[in-house]
């Protein structure tokens, strides 16, 4: 640590009371929650927040969720995937009502972020709900009027599991410089070329950027998915410093 870093005081993250302003159903198991957070300091696409619930008996449970959109005043968005037998996600998707309070702490994270002044090509590879922070980057790109070329490779089980399906379809059509490709692992839509399969070298190679363009690569999803894709990218010649990863476990 440098002397400058030692002398800099970093303000501790504080818990803020937020309230549900809006709910959007994304898939049969995923919902986006729009939260009003008074005093929200802003955030970068790729960062996440901690949400904390407190029961009447004082018991508390907290989970981390990626921010789904760019900073918008005192509103933030998180997309919650319902986990069977989960402790927090079933409450958020089934019980949490408009106007109800919840505690929010953040933003958290500084490595897995994309800044709108970046000009290098960007490759986004998401598995399941791992698309959430990647969508924040796609939305931030559009909001900033950036011309940075983006490519998204999105791996899902079936077409019904595509989070932000309508928006991705619209953005792939209207956002110049954004390409979107899908990998289906269990069932593919009619007309899709190929058989359902787990993401592999051909997918990353054909839908990604060549290493000599020095793209920034962001990979998010379950641990096994992230490790596989990161290894494929490095094997193709992408420097490890240009491959940024974010992984999540099964907690809910």
């Amino acid at each position: 640590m440098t002397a400058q870093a030692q002398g800099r005081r970093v303000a501790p993250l504080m818990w803020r009371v937020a309230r549900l302003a809006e709910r959007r159903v994304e898939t049969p198991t995923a919902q986006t929650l729009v939260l009003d957070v008074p005093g929200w300091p802003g955030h970068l696409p790729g960062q996440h927040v901690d949400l904390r619930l407190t029961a009447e008996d004082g018991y508390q449970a907290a989970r981390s969720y990626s921010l789904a959109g760019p900073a918008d005043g005192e509103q933030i968005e998180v997309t919650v995937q319902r986990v069977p037998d989960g402790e927090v996600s079933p409450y958020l998707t089934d019980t949490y009502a408009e106007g109800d309070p919840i505690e929010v702490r953040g933003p958290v994270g500084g490595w897995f972020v994309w800044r709108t002044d970046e000009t290098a090509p960007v490759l986004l590879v998401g598995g399941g709900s791992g698309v959430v922070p990647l969508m924040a980057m796609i939305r931030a790109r559009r909001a900033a009027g950036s011309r940075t070329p983006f490519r998204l490779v999105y791996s899902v089980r079936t077409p019904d599991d595509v989070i932000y399906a309508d928006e991705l379809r619209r953005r792939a059509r209207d956002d110049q410089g954004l390409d979107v490709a899908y990998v289906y692992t269990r069932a593919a839509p009619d007309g899709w070329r190929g058989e359902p399969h787990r993401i592999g070298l051909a997918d990353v190679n054909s839908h990604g950027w060549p290493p000599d363009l020095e793209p920034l690569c962001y990979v998010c999803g379950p641990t096994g998915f992230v490790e596989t894709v990161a290894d494929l990218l490095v094997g193709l010649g992408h420097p490890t410093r240009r491959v940024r990863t974010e992984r999540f476990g099964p907690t809910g």
Side-chain angles (χ1 to χ4, degrees):
M1 181 181 294
T2 65
Q4 181 181 7
Q6 288 177 332
R8 186 190 307 126
R9 291 186 177 183
V10 179
L13 293 176
M14 60 180 291
W15 289 100
R16 293 179 168 86
V17 176
R19 295 185 184 275
L20 181 63
E22 182 186 347
R23 176 190 305 276
R24 298 195 299 269
V25 175
E26 305 289 356
T27 73
T29 60
Q31 298 179 12
T32 293
L33 308 180
V34 181
L35 303 175
D36 287 328
V37 191
W40 183 248
H43 61 272
L44 295 172
Q47 291 187 301
H48 60 275
V49 294
D50 297 326
L51 300 184
R52 185 168 68 180
L53 300 171
T54 301
E56 292 182 359
D57 62 1
Y59 175 76
Q60 294 182 324
R63 295 290 184 273
S64 293
Y65 290 98
S66 294
L67 289 153
D72 184 16
E74 294 188 331
Q75 276 196 341
I76 63 172
E77 294 185 15
V78 296
T79 300
V80 178
Q81 182 88 50
R82 192 184 194 283
V83 178
D85 302 322
E87 190 174 33
V88 173
S89 63
Y91 173 83
L92 294 178
T93 58
D94 301 343
T95 306
Y96 187 46
E98 190 169 318
D100 283 355
I102 193 170
E103 289 182 283
V104 176
R105 181 172 63 182
V108 181
W111 169 246
F112 194 82
V113 299
W114 180 74
R115 292 174 170 82
T116 56
D117 59 355
E118 291 277 4
T119 58
V122 173
L123 173 61
L124 310 171
V125 187
S129 60
V131 76
V132 176
L134 310 183
M135 193 60 168
M137 299 176 191
I138 291 171
R139 289 168 170 168
R141 172 186 181 272
R142 176 59 182 265
S146 170
R147 295 183 178 273
T148 299
F150 268 41
R151 291 182 177 177
L152 169 67
V153 183
Y154 186 10
S155 176
V156 289
R157 294 178 179 179
T158 74
D160 289 339
D161 296 308
V162 176
I163 300 174
Y164 316 124
D166 291 341
E167 183 178 353
L168 282 173
R169 191 178 302 112
R170 184 178 70 253
R171 289 188 179 277
R173 181 194 65 209
D174 299 339
D175 287 15
Q176 187 174 6
L178 169 65
D179 294 320
V180 179
Y182 296 92
V183 176
Y184 299 96
T185 63
R186 294 192 180 179
D190 293 338
W192 190 68
R193 300 169 63 180
E195 296 294 326
H197 62 276
R198 292 186 181 277
I199 196 167
L201 180 62
D203 303 299
V204 177
N205 193 32
S206 61
H207 299 302
W209 298 103
D212 57 359
L213 292 181
E214 298 186 343
L216 282 171
C217 304
Y218 297 86
V219 186
C220 186
T223 296
F225 173 89
V226 169
E227 291 176 349
T228 294
V229 174
D231 287 346
L232 290 172
L233 289 169
V234 172
L236 286 169
H238 295 272
T240 55
R241 61 183 173 81
R242 305 289 285 182
V243 180
R244 303 181 181 184
T245 61
E246 183 91 336
R247 63 199 70 199
F248 56 79
T251 58

